[in-house]
Amino acid sequence: MGRIRLLSETVASQVAAGEVVERPASVVKELVENSLDAGARDIDIAIRRGGISLVRVIDNGCGMDRNDALLSLERHATSKIRSAADLQAIATLGFRGEAVPSIASVSRFRVSTREAGAIAGTEIVVNGGKIDVVRDGGEAPGTQVEVRSLFYNLPARRKFLRSENTESRNIEHQIHLQAIGHPEIGFSLMRDDRIVFQLPATTTLGDRIRDLYGVELLQRLVEVNGTASAKIQISGFIGQAGLSRQTRSQQLVFVNGRAIESNVITGAVREGYHTALMKGQYPVTFLFVELDPAAVDVNVHPAKREVRFREPKGVREAVVRCIQRTLEHARANWQEKFSAPIRPAPAAADSVKATGDLSLRSEVTAPEVTHRELPHLGAPAGVADPGRAESEIPGQAPRLPERHFDSAAVVASALQSQEHVTKAAQQQFEIIGVLSKLYVLMENANGLVLVDQHAAHERVLFEELRRRMEQQGVPTQKLLLPQTFDVPPRDADWIEQNLSVLQRMGIGIESFGPDTFKIDSLPSFLDVSDAAQFMRKVIDDLKSASNNASAMRLGEEMIAKTVCRHAVKANDPLRYPEVEKLIRDLLDCDLPYCCPHGRPTMIQISLAELEKKFGRKI
Ligand SMILES: Nc1ncnc2c1ncn2[C@@H]1O[C@H](COP(=O)(O)OP(=O)(O)OP(=O)(O)O)[C@@H](O)[C@H]1O
Ligand SMILES: [Mg+2]
C-alpha cells in the first residue's frame, strides 16, 4: 500500500506557517507590509502579552471586497503578481500570497475590511485555518486584522517563544523598521493598552528619526551624500564617526524600501567606516539603497528578510564609497565649527567685570615661547569633593593661567608648510586647560569641546604613519645602542612573517638567530625609550586582539594602529604648545573625531546644552 498522502490544506498551511511565522513579530511584519501595500496612510498597531495574546493592525488602505477577502485566505492567492516574469521586478513588499493563510492557520484570526465607497464591509473569523464566520461588517474603510492566541494549536511552537518582554521588543524593532522605511505613513503602537509611540506622518526621514529616537540621536547623525551613479542611489543617515552601538538594533538597511539584513551591505558599511568604528561595535545606519528591481532577487528568504544582488560587487563598492564620502563631508562640517570666530572679546571682558573676579580668564597673556606645563583642573585640591567645590567663595576660585590660541602668527612659526598655515589660521579655538592630565578643555564657536589627549594623539600618529607608509618613507631614528631581544617561538613566527610590514613602518628589526631579533631604529615620531619592551607590548596586544592563529595574518592596518597605541604614553603631561599643536594636527586628520580604534577623540558640548543644564533655557 502506498504511504504517500497529500496533506490537507490546513496542515499544508501550518507547515508553510512554520517558515513565515516564526514569532509574534513576524505576524506584525506581514500585516503591516500588507497595509503598506494596500496604500494605507495610517497604521495603528496594538499588541497584548508580547503579541502572543493579541496582535491587531488597523489600516486605512484600499480594503477588499468580499470575494477578495475570502480569496486572501487561500494559499497562493495574491493581487501583487500574476506571472513568473513579475517575480523579476517586484515593487510590492508581499508577493507570495502566503502570509494571511499562514497566520490564520496558527491563530484565532479575524479580518474586517471594507473598500472606500462600499455600502458594507466584510468580517471573516477563522480558527486554526477553518473559516467559521463570514458576515457583513460595519468598520470604516480599510482593513482590520486581529490575531489572537498565536500558536494555540501548535503547542510545540509556542514553547519556543521567549518572554513577553523579549517578544514585545522584537515587535517594536519590527515596527521601527517599517516606520523608518515609511516616514510618510503615520504609525502608532499600543502595548498592553498603553501607548508606546504615536508617529505622525512626516515628509522627511530626519523628522521620523527624531520622533522615534529623539533629537539627541539625530544630532549625531550625518545625512548620506547621495551617490550620482545611475544604477544605484544611496540615501539616508549614518552615525558620525565615533558613534556606535553594542548591538545591531540601530543598523537599519533598506533595499528598494524593504528592510533587509545583508552581509554585503553591512560589510561595506564597516569598510566605509574603517577606523572610525570601535572594535566589536555596530554602526548606526538608516541607509536606503535603491536600484533597479530587476537587479535584486527578493525571493530568497522565507520571511523575505534577505535579498540577493545580481552584482554584489557593484553594490558593495557604491556603499563603501558613499560612507567614506559622507564621513569626509561630516569632517569638513565639524571643522567649520572651529573656523567660525569665537564670541567677540570685548563682550567677554564685560561679563567678567559684571561677575566680579569669578572668571577663569582674567587676562589674555601673550603666547610664550618657552614650554610651560598646562594647568590641571583635576589637581588634588579637593575638586573631586563637590561639597568643598561648592563652598568655595568667588574670590578664592582657583585661577587658571590664561591662554589664547587664535593668532595665526603663533602657529605660523611652529608649522612649516604654507598650506598648514592657512588651514590652521582658519581654525579658531581657545584652550582653557587640561582636566585630570588627560582631557583638554577648549572653547570653539559652538561651546565647549573636550578632547581625550591620548585618543587624539593616537589618531594623529596613526594617520601620519599611514601617510608615510603610502609614500614609502617613514623617517627613522637610529637607536644609540641596537637592542636584541628573545621571544617565544610562536611570537618569533609572527615577527618573521611581518618583518617587511614592520620595516616599512620604520621599525628597523631583523632576525638575529633563532627566536632572537635585533632592533636598531624606530620611526622618529615614536618617542619610545625601550624598543624591545615596546615591541613585546605590541605583539602581546596584537595576539590578544585576535586570540588565535589568525593573528599571524593581521593586516598592516591593525599593526599600525597597535604601534600607535603603544607609542602614546599614559599620563604624560603635555605643555601648552604641544597641546595646541596636537589639537591642530588632530583637526587636520582625515577622521579627527575618533581614535584608530573608533573611540571618540572629542566631545562637543554646545552652549545650548549648557544653558539647558543650568536651567537658563527650558
Ligand atoms: N491590509 C490589507 N488591505 C488590503 N488588501 C489586503 C490586506 N492584507 C492582505 N490583502 C490582500 O490579500 C492578499 C493576500 O495577502 P498575503 O499577505 O497572504 O499575500 P501577499 O501580500 O500577496 O504576499 P506575501 O505572502 O508575500 O505577503 C494580498 O495580495 C492583498 O491583495
Ligand atoms: Mg503579504
PDB file of all heavy atoms in Angstrom, residues 172-186:
ATOM      1  N   GLU A 172       8.533  45.718  18.581  1.00  0.00           N
ATOM      2  CA  GLU A 172       8.857  47.148  18.475  1.00  0.00           C
ATOM      3  C   GLU A 172       9.942  47.381  17.435  1.00  0.00           C
ATOM      4  O   GLU A 172       9.864  48.314  16.634  1.00  0.00           O
ATOM      5  CB  GLU A 172       9.288  47.701  19.838  1.00  0.00           C
ATOM      6  CG  GLU A 172       8.088  48.044  20.691  1.00  0.00           C
ATOM      7  CD  GLU A 172       8.453  48.561  22.065  1.00  0.00           C
ATOM      8  OE1 GLU A 172       9.452  49.300  22.181  1.00  0.00           O
ATOM      9  OE2 GLU A 172       7.733  48.216  23.020  1.00  0.00           O
ATOM     10  N   HIS A 173      10.942  46.511  17.449  1.00  0.00           N
ATOM     11  CA  HIS A 173      12.012  46.672  16.467  1.00  0.00           C
ATOM     12  C   HIS A 173      11.439  46.567  15.050  1.00  0.00           C
ATOM     13  O   HIS A 173      11.783  47.361  14.166  1.00  0.00           O
ATOM     14  CB  HIS A 173      13.092  45.614  16.687  1.00  0.00           C
ATOM     15  CG  HIS A 173      14.194  45.665  15.679  1.00  0.00           C
ATOM     16  ND1 HIS A 173      15.067  46.736  15.599  1.00  0.00           N
ATOM     17  CD2 HIS A 173      14.543  44.826  14.671  1.00  0.00           C
ATOM     18  CE1 HIS A 173      15.908  46.534  14.600  1.00  0.00           C
ATOM     19  NE2 HIS A 173      15.619  45.388  14.018  1.00  0.00           N
ATOM     20  N   GLN A 174      10.579  45.603  14.869  1.00  0.00           N
ATOM     21  CA  GLN A 174       9.951  45.404  13.569  1.00  0.00           C
ATOM     22  C   GLN A 174       9.192  46.663  13.125  1.00  0.00           C
ATOM     23  O   GLN A 174       9.293  47.095  11.989  1.00  0.00           O
ATOM     24  CB  GLN A 174       8.994  44.209  13.700  1.00  0.00           C
ATOM     25  CG  GLN A 174       8.503  43.640  12.424  1.00  0.00           C
ATOM     26  CD  GLN A 174       9.609  43.398  11.428  1.00  0.00           C
ATOM     27  OE1 GLN A 174       9.628  44.040  10.384  1.00  0.00           O
ATOM     28  NE2 GLN A 174      10.529  42.498  11.730  1.00  0.00           N
ATOM     29  N   ILE A 175       8.474  47.264  14.066  1.00  0.00           N
ATOM     30  CA  ILE A 175       7.705  48.466  13.698  1.00  0.00           C
ATOM     31  C   ILE A 175       8.649  49.651  13.466  1.00  0.00           C
ATOM     32  O   ILE A 175       8.403  50.476  12.596  1.00  0.00           O
ATOM     33  CB  ILE A 175       6.647  48.785  14.769  1.00  0.00           C
ATOM     34  CG1 ILE A 175       5.724  47.569  14.933  1.00  0.00           C
ATOM     35  CG2 ILE A 175       5.818  50.007  14.378  1.00  0.00           C
ATOM     36  CD1 ILE A 175       4.733  47.680  16.055  1.00  0.00           C
ATOM     37  N   HIS A 176       9.728  49.712  14.233  1.00  0.00           N
ATOM     38  CA  HIS A 176      10.723  50.757  13.969  1.00  0.00           C
ATOM     39  C   HIS A 176      11.196  50.671  12.525  1.00  0.00           C
ATOM     40  O   HIS A 176      11.317  51.677  11.825  1.00  0.00           O
ATOM     41  CB  HIS A 176      11.942  50.583  14.876  1.00  0.00           C
ATOM     42  CG  HIS A 176      11.706  51.061  16.279  1.00  0.00           C
ATOM     43  ND1 HIS A 176      12.709  51.191  17.197  1.00  0.00           N
ATOM     44  CD2 HIS A 176      10.584  51.445  16.910  1.00  0.00           C
ATOM     45  CE1 HIS A 176      12.202  51.624  18.330  1.00  0.00           C
ATOM     46  NE2 HIS A 176      10.915  51.783  18.182  1.00  0.00           N
ATOM     47  N   LEU A 177      11.494  49.438  12.098  1.00  0.00           N
ATOM     48  CA  LEU A 177      11.972  49.257  10.724  1.00  0.00           C
ATOM     49  C   LEU A 177      10.959  49.812   9.725  1.00  0.00           C
ATOM     50  O   LEU A 177      11.301  50.556   8.814  1.00  0.00           O
ATOM     51  CB  LEU A 177      12.180  47.764  10.427  1.00  0.00           C
ATOM     52  CG  LEU A 177      13.348  47.064  11.098  1.00  0.00           C
ATOM     53  CD1 LEU A 177      13.314  45.569  10.783  1.00  0.00           C
ATOM     54  CD2 LEU A 177      14.663  47.643  10.586  1.00  0.00           C
ATOM     55  N   GLN A 178       9.695  49.433   9.928  1.00  0.00           N
ATOM     56  CA  GLN A 178       8.673  49.870   8.975  1.00  0.00           C
ATOM     57  C   GLN A 178       8.484  51.388   9.043  1.00  0.00           C
ATOM     58  O   GLN A 178       8.295  52.050   8.032  1.00  0.00           O
ATOM     59  CB  GLN A 178       7.331  49.187   9.279  1.00  0.00           C
ATOM     60  CG  GLN A 178       7.419  47.677   9.386  1.00  0.00           C
ATOM     61  CD  GLN A 178       7.484  47.000   8.031  1.00  0.00           C
ATOM     62  OE1 GLN A 178       7.644  47.653   7.008  1.00  0.00           O
ATOM     63  NE2 GLN A 178       7.376  45.676   8.025  1.00  0.00           N
ATOM     64  N   ALA A 179       8.534  51.913  10.262  1.00  0.00           N
ATOM     65  CA  ALA A 179       8.290  53.349  10.437  1.00  0.00           C
ATOM     66  C   ALA A 179       9.421  54.170   9.825  1.00  0.00           C
ATOM     67  O   ALA A 179       9.195  55.218   9.225  1.00  0.00           O
ATOM     68  CB  ALA A 179       8.135  53.675  11.914  1.00  0.00           C
ATOM     69  N   ILE A 180      10.655  53.688   9.979  1.00  0.00           N
ATOM     70  CA  ILE A 180      11.780  54.396   9.377  1.00  0.00           C
ATOM     71  C   ILE A 180      11.711  54.261   7.856  1.00  0.00           C
ATOM     72  O   ILE A 180      11.980  55.200   7.121  1.00  0.00           O
ATOM     73  CB  ILE A 180      13.124  53.838   9.909  1.00  0.00           C
ATOM     74  CG1 ILE A 180      13.302  54.174  11.388  1.00  0.00           C
ATOM     75  CG2 ILE A 180      14.298  54.350   9.104  1.00  0.00           C
ATOM     76  CD1 ILE A 180      13.473  55.643  11.692  1.00  0.00           C
ATOM     77  N   GLY A 181      11.303  53.091   7.405  1.00  0.00           N
ATOM     78  CA  GLY A 181      11.207  52.858   5.965  1.00  0.00           C
ATOM     79  C   GLY A 181      10.103  53.673   5.302  1.00  0.00           C
ATOM     80  O   GLY A 181      10.132  53.884   4.099  1.00  0.00           O
ATOM     81  N   HIS A 182       9.129  54.138   6.090  1.00  0.00           N
ATOM     82  CA  HIS A 182       7.990  54.856   5.514  1.00  0.00           C
ATOM     83  C   HIS A 182       7.598  56.070   6.347  1.00  0.00           C
ATOM     84  O   HIS A 182       6.544  56.074   6.991  1.00  0.00           O
ATOM     85  CB  HIS A 182       6.790  53.901   5.371  1.00  0.00           C
ATOM     86  CG  HIS A 182       7.096  52.725   4.503  1.00  0.00           C
ATOM     87  ND1 HIS A 182       7.618  51.559   4.990  1.00  0.00           N
ATOM     88  CD2 HIS A 182       6.997  52.574   3.157  1.00  0.00           C
ATOM     89  CE1 HIS A 182       7.817  50.728   3.980  1.00  0.00           C
ATOM     90  NE2 HIS A 182       7.450  51.316   2.862  1.00  0.00           N
ATOM     91  N   PRO A 183       8.432  57.109   6.326  1.00  0.00           N
ATOM     92  CA  PRO A 183       8.131  58.294   7.147  1.00  0.00           C
ATOM     93  C   PRO A 183       6.817  58.962   6.753  1.00  0.00           C
ATOM     94  O   PRO A 183       6.201  59.645   7.560  1.00  0.00           O
ATOM     95  CB  PRO A 183       9.301  59.242   6.866  1.00  0.00           C
ATOM     96  CG  PRO A 183      10.323  58.452   6.152  1.00  0.00           C
ATOM     97  CD  PRO A 183       9.655  57.274   5.537  1.00  0.00           C
ATOM     98  N   GLU A 184       6.399  58.748   5.514  1.00  0.00           N
ATOM     99  CA  GLU A 184       5.191  59.427   5.030  1.00  0.00           C
ATOM    100  C   GLU A 184       3.926  58.769   5.570  1.00  0.00           C
ATOM    101  O   GLU A 184       2.825  59.242   5.327  1.00  0.00           O
ATOM    102  CB  GLU A 184       5.192  59.469   3.495  1.00  0.00           C
ATOM    103  CG  GLU A 184       4.918  58.154   2.778  1.00  0.00           C
ATOM    104  CD  GLU A 184       6.057  57.105   2.834  1.00  0.00           C
ATOM    105  OE1 GLU A 184       7.115  57.407   3.440  1.00  0.00           O
ATOM    106  OE2 GLU A 184       5.873  55.998   2.306  1.00  0.00           O
ATOM    107  N   ILE A 185       4.072  57.662   6.297  1.00  0.00           N
ATOM    108  CA  ILE A 185       2.908  56.967   6.855  1.00  0.00           C
ATOM    109  C   ILE A 185       2.883  57.180   8.370  1.00  0.00           C
ATOM    110  O   ILE A 185       3.913  57.091   9.029  1.00  0.00           O
ATOM    111  CB  ILE A 185       3.012  55.440   6.581  1.00  0.00           C
ATOM    112  CG1 ILE A 185       3.359  55.146   5.136  1.00  0.00           C
ATOM    113  CG2 ILE A 185       1.741  54.718   7.046  1.00  0.00           C
ATOM    114  CD1 ILE A 185       2.268  55.378   4.152  1.00  0.00           C
ATOM    115  N   GLY A 186       1.695  57.460   8.915  1.00  0.00           N
ATOM    116  CA  GLY A 186       1.573  57.587  10.362  1.00  0.00           C
ATOM    117  C   GLY A 186       1.523  56.210  11.013  1.00  0.00           C
ATOM    118  O   GLY A 186       0.886  55.300  10.489  1.00  0.00           O
TER     119      GLY A 186
END
